[in-house]
Amino acid sequence: MKFLPTLVFAFLFVSFSSAYGFNFEQYKQGDLDQLLTVPKIKSGVKMVVPQQIHFRAVLAGPVQNCSTDILKRTMIMQGNKQEVVDKMALTKCLNIRSAKGAAISVFIEDKVAERLSREVNPGEVIDLFCTYLYITPTGPTLLVNEYKKL
């Protein structure tokens, strides 16, 4: 009889896990250092075909508030519905470092940022699952959709 409560607890834990239902397999393995070699543009935004990639990185600092207006406009230009983008909570960024030490700032979904802030400390290595959306004069623009703590 003690097996049943354990089974129920395990089911509830998995059911209410924030990562439950996230399709990690749709993200192809990437290399942040290689991505950072993409030629920068002089001004504006260069659209790319959105790609879902994952890679390891070092959290370089705490989550920060940032302006996401360009991110949201670009997502709409790429075919996402205005209503869907407007409902997304996108107000946060974080700084990460690649394996070779290159620094980049990336956008992160607020619900993911909240968990990351509680679970990961600067200096720790994490797997990031991102959507690569466009290129700016500072380089590639990524939106973190999920992470795994190592």
Side-chain angles (χ1 to χ4, degrees), residues 46-93:
K46 179 181 177 185
M47 304 293 276
V48 298
V49 175
Q51 301 169 44
Q52 294 179 314
I53 59 173
H54 74 92
F55 52 82
R56 286 204 170 139
V58 175
L59 182 62
V63 172
Q64 304 168 354
N65 290 325
C66 61
S67 174
T68 58
D69 293 338
I70 294 173
L71 172 68
K72 290 179 178 182
R73 281 187 276 154
T74 303
M75 291 173 74
I76 293 165
M77 289 172 32
Q78 290 175 327
N80 293 291
K81 294 188 181 214
Q82 174 92 37
E83 307 82 49
V84 173
V85 173
D86 287 344
K87 288 180 182 177
M88 292 181 77
L90 298 171
T91 63
K92 308 290 183 195
C93 294

Side-chain angles (χ1 to χ4, degrees), residues 22-36:
F22 187 82
N23 187 356
F24 292 100
E25 288 76 35
Q26 71 185 9
Y27 289 76
K28 68 179 183 175
Q29 180 65 47
D31 181 325
L32 182 56
D33 284 306
Q34 184 177 3
L35 184 62
L36 292 174

